[in-house]
Amino acid sequence: MSQRIAEAAYPLADYCLKNGKHFAVLTISYREIYAMLRVFGPRIVTQIHLRVVEVLRQELPSHCFVVAAQGGLVLLMQDVNREEAFQLAIRLESILCGSFRIDGFDYGVNFIFSTGEFPGHTTGTDISIAEFHRLFTLYEDENYELYKDTGTRVFSITKERFESLSRVHELDRLMRNDFAAGRFVMHYQPRVELTTGKIVGAEALMRWDSSKDGMISPGVFIPIAEKNGFIHTLTPHAVRSVARDVGRFCAAFGQDFTVGANLSGICIRSPNIVPIIKECLDEFGAPRGSLEIEITESQLIDQRRFVMDRLEELREAGVATALDDFGTGFSSLHVLTHIPLDYLKLDRSFVSLLSDDPTGKHAAIARSISEMGKACGLQVIAEGMETETEVRALIEKVGCPLGQGFFFARPMPLEDFLALPECLPTASKH
């Protein structure tokens, strides 16, 4: 919390808690305004700000503190509730958002308004003002993303949303403590030749054994880590763990064994990611091609320039590359022929349809993708098979050589994996 906000908020919060009162919070985000600095310069932005200040002088209630913060303005309004703050935000939106005429030119202006109440029904009386501020900052960040997606500019926090933010904030803190305690570990799921069941590789999957809640799904903690930046700590840990384990895999299953690991879209943008991977591989003497980095089709579409650069660098470093979730986005054969890839992963959404339609159009689509990958010189891996029907269809109708899924084995710790036989039962052996 900034010094300016603290000087206004702490005494007001203390007064309200002692006297059973409340105050409303209304923030006016200047993110869109600050973006204008690069185009129009500080003088125009200053003129816009002065117009905002003039409007606030006319519209704000008494007993209102206005604090200039890093991202805009923070309004603290004593004895104003959440609904009244929301109505004020709507009124300010109608006045401030639109066109500002300065020096004979019109400038399009947008602000994002976020409202809440302290302590109020949303938070209860046991939350500190510092904690409230941290959660409100998360709330503002989410609102800005919603604004970009939907165009909505005025937000009023609900009890459910505040509880969700509290949970995210709690997981954030717990994540860092548990990481220091060594509670983030790698599990591995076997990758097999579908016709023989021979184990030829694995996919590395991070697991968080929370000290409070037990196992927490990567679908829960990875988005949080991407948002709070902790992904830049988790990723080197994961890569180092895989590089360390590769030697034992190769000793047990052969020198051609490959371990795949997913790379977050956040990390793709980092210029440090490839040097980190190279350093880990060199540290443990991992053979070239034993590590495979997977990127998703959506990453390829959204961040093509970054992805292309990183894939080229990875290939030069002796790291195999794979395109995950193929067929779920808008990639094309052009993509497969112009980016440096070794593997193409057939998404689970295609595989799951083979149980109900092992010989029809879904199998034909999956076969087309498989043949397209092979024609481009890629090894094709089917993901997520759970039934014998799916495996048999992949062998007989799709012609897919490799696969992984619960039909063969669930992800497991390294020692359990090393205890597996060389070949697992497959559909052709039942």
Side-chain angles (χ1 to χ4, degrees), residues 156-174:
S156 179
I157 197 166
T158 63
K159 183 176 183 180
E160 292 74 22
R161 193 165 171 205
F162 203 94
E163 288 174 346
S164 174
L165 290 169
S166 298
R167 174 63 174 160
V168 168
H169 189 55
E170 178 186 0
L171 287 175
D172 185 339
R173 291 186 297 186
L174 186 62

Side-chain angles (χ1 to χ4, degrees), residues 90-366:
I90 291 176
R91 189 162 71 250
L92 291 175
E93 179 197 25
S94 67
I95 298 170
L96 295 175
C97 294
S99 179
F100 276 46
R101 193 164 186 81
I102 301 173
D103 297 338
F105 294 93
D106 292 325
Y107 296 89
V109 175
N110 277 310
F111 299 92
I112 299 95
F113 304 86
S114 301
T115 63
E117 181 182 335
F118 181 88
H121 79 281
T122 303
T123 62
T125 57
D126 58 342
I127 187 172
S128 70
I129 186 62
E131 184 79 358
F132 178 82
H133 179 264
R134 281 192 289 269
L135 294 176
F136 205 89
T137 301
L138 289 175
Y139 165 59
E140 286 185 284
D141 290 341
E142 283 191 358
N143 290 347
Y144 184 64
E145 295 303 317
L146 287 170
Y147 159 75
K148 290 194 294 185
D149 290 340
T150 67
T152 303
R153 293 181 294 219
V154 181
F155 298 89
S156 179
I157 197 166
T158 63
K159 183 176 183 180
E160 292 74 22
R161 193 165 171 205
F162 203 94
E163 288 174 346
S164 174
L165 290 169
S166 298
R167 174 63 174 160
V168 168
H169 189 55
E170 178 186 0
L171 287 175
D172 185 339
R173 291 186 297 186
L174 186 62
M175 179 187 300
R176 299 170 191 274
N177 292 335
D178 280 357
F179 180 80
R183 303 188 72 93
F184 282 80
V185 296
M186 302 307 295
H187 283 195
Y188 298 94
Q189 185 175 39
R191 180 182 298 166
V192 306
E193 290 181 349
L194 295 183
T195 54
T196 65
K198 180 182 178 182
I199 299 175
V200 296
E203 179 170 3
L205 301 158
M206 181 170 281
R207 294 292 183 258
W208 176 14
D209 184 12
S210 163
S211 57
K212 182 177 180 181
D213 301 315
M215 285 294 181
I216 296 179
S217 165
V220 173
F221 72 80
I222 292 297
I224 295 173
E226 288 180 332
K227 220 173 231 187
N228 64 20
F230 201 61
I231 194 71
H232 297 295
T233 298
L234 293 180
T235 298
H237 170 72
V239 172
R240 191 172 190 278
S241 298
V242 172
R244 179 196 62 211
D245 295 342
V246 157
R248 297 188 66 189
F249 280 124
C250 291
F253 296 99
Q255 291 301 307
D256 293 333
F257 196 93
T258 302
V259 182
N262 290 289
L263 190 62
S264 164
I266 302 294
C267 293
I268 287 176
R269 294 196 292 268
S270 170
N272 299 321
I273 187 61
V274 175
I276 288 172
I277 292 172
K278 290 174 63 176
E279 180 181 331
C280 292
L281 294 176
D282 291 343
E283 179 183 355
F284 294 99
R288 288 181 68 87
S290 59
L291 175 63
E292 165 216 313
I293 293 296
E294 301 174 4
I295 54 101
T296 65
E297 189 175 5
S298 59
Q299 290 170 357
L300 182 60
I301 294 169
D302 296 339
Q303 307 178 62
R304 180 164 183 145
R305 180 172 61 84
F306 290 109
V307 169
M308 292 289 285
D309 291 345
R310 297 298 175 266
L311 292 180
E312 290 285 1
E313 293 168 7
L314 287 168
R315 290 287 289 277
E316 291 174 6
V319 177
T321 56
L323 182 59
D324 200 5
D325 301 335
F326 186 78
T328 59
F330 301 96
S331 292
S332 64
L333 184 60
H334 175 80
V335 167
L336 298 184
T337 57
H338 285 79
I339 63 174
L341 289 173
D342 299 289
Y343 296 90
L344 180 67
K345 303 192 77 173
L346 182 63
D347 187 66
R348 161 72 188 158
S349 61
F350 289 101
V351 174
S352 62
L353 295 171
L354 297 176
S355 287
D356 298 326
D357 184 24
T359 61
K361 63 180 181 181
H362 297 117
I365 293 172

Side-chain angles (χ1 to χ4, degrees), residues 19-92:
N19 294 278
K21 294 181 177 293
H22 59 264
F23 66 89
V25 179
L26 192 164
T27 62
I28 305 175
S29 172
Y30 271 36
R31 294 192 197 196
E32 293 291 289
I33 305 304
Y34 290 154
M36 298 173 68
L37 273 170
R38 296 188 295 270
V39 180
F40 302 113
R43 194 181 73 81
I44 297 300
V45 172
T46 300
Q47 290 296 314
I48 292 172
H49 172 69
L50 293 175
R51 298 274 184 93
V52 172
V53 171
E54 184 59 35
V55 169
L56 294 180
R57 285 198 183 107
Q58 299 172 16
E59 298 293 333
L60 293 184
S62 57
H63 305 295
C64 178
F65 298 91
V66 180
V67 183
Q70 185 176 6
L73 298 176
V74 178
L75 282 56
L76 308 175
M77 298 172 285
Q78 186 179 328
D79 296 327
V80 174
N81 61 37
R82 182 170 57 94
E83 180 57 31
E84 291 169 334
F86 182 67
Q87 293 303 321
L88 173 60
I90 291 176
R91 189 162 71 250
L92 291 175

Side-chain angles (χ1 to χ4, degrees), residues 9-20:
Y10 274 104
L12 183 57
D14 186 58
Y15 170 80
C16 289
L17 290 173
K18 287 180 179 178
N19 294 278

